[in-house]
């Protein structure tokens, strides 16, 4: 059974940096072909894809957010980390980590950006 | 970026009746490998999204067969043959043919009349 679980801060101030961790179970980020992505959803709004990292450290980002995003992996801990810099209130959203292109989803973590 | 337009925005349905959701793409979604990477997701109230269908018409394991997907090119449809109470939620289409970025439709809310 594959599970993904997001963790990190839930309240941040504008201009701060968000760091979220996705912990994987039943799925290894080191296995050939595996990719773990991030998707966010502002309250009451649609889904927005952020980026993905693959087992071989290949990464793809949303062009509109690329300058502010970094996705890394820690194979020893079987975790994937999302960093979002220079936060703004519009970054308030539930952040999900997903297996590949959405085959499995984490429970999500609501991150609020407010002064 | 590929823009996916869903209709309707809201779909009130009587229990046991069929429902149909449309997803129109700004570009043809046939990949150079011959596949069409158009997926459908269901998000029940208060839950994470769940993938129902991949590559236009392939149901995920455990998805009831009352859900079906069809379409080609730029026009795609998710159909529910007989709506049940547990089908209430928001449905999203997503394309993974022309990426990055992966893009989603704006969502269709299914509710019971």
């Amino acid at each position: 059974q594959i599970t993904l679980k997001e963790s990190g801060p839930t309240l941040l101030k504008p201009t701060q940096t968000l760091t979220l961790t996705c912990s994987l179970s039943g799925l290894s980020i080191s296995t050939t072909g595996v990719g773990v992505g991030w998707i966010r959803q502002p309250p009451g709004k649609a889904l927005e894809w952020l980026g993905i990292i693959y087992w071989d450290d290949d990464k793809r980002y949303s062009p509109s957010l690329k300058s502010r995003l970094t996705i890394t992996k820690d194979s020893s801990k079987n975790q994937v980390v999302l960093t979002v810099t220079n936060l703004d209130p519009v970054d308030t959203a539930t952040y999900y980590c997903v297996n590949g292109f959405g085959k499995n989803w984490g429970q999500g973590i609501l991150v609020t950006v407010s002064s | 970026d590929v823009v996916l337009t869903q209709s309707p925005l809201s779909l009130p349905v009587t229990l046991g009746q069929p429902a149909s959701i449309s997803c129109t793409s700004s570009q043809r979604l046939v990949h150079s490998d011959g596949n069409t990477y158009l997926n459908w997701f269901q998000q029940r109230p208060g839950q994470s999204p769940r993938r129902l269908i991949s590559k236009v018409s392939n149901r995920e394991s455990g998805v009831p067969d009352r859900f079906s997907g069809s379409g080609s090119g730029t026009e795609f449809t998710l159909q529910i043959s007989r709506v049940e109470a547990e089908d209430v939620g928001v449905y999203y289409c997503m394309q993974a043919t022309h990426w990055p970025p992966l893009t989603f439709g704006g969502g269709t809310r299914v509710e019971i009349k």
Side-chain angles (χ1 to χ4, degrees), chain A residues 41 49 96 102-103 105-107, chain B residues 41 43 48-49 60 92 102:
Chain A
Q41 184 175 36
W49 182 80
Y96 297 99
K103 184 171 176 59
W105 293 62
Q107 64 189 21
Chain B
F41 294 85
Q43 186 174 30
S48 302
E60 297 291 335
Y92 296 94
L102 304 181

Side-chain angles (χ1 to χ4, degrees), chain B residues 42-56:
Chain B
Q42 174 196 59
Q43 186 174 30
R44 291 169 171 155
Q47 294 188 13
S48 302
R50 161 200 184 195
R51 194 165 74 183
L52 297 177
I53 287 173
S54 64
K55 288 191 281 186
V56 181

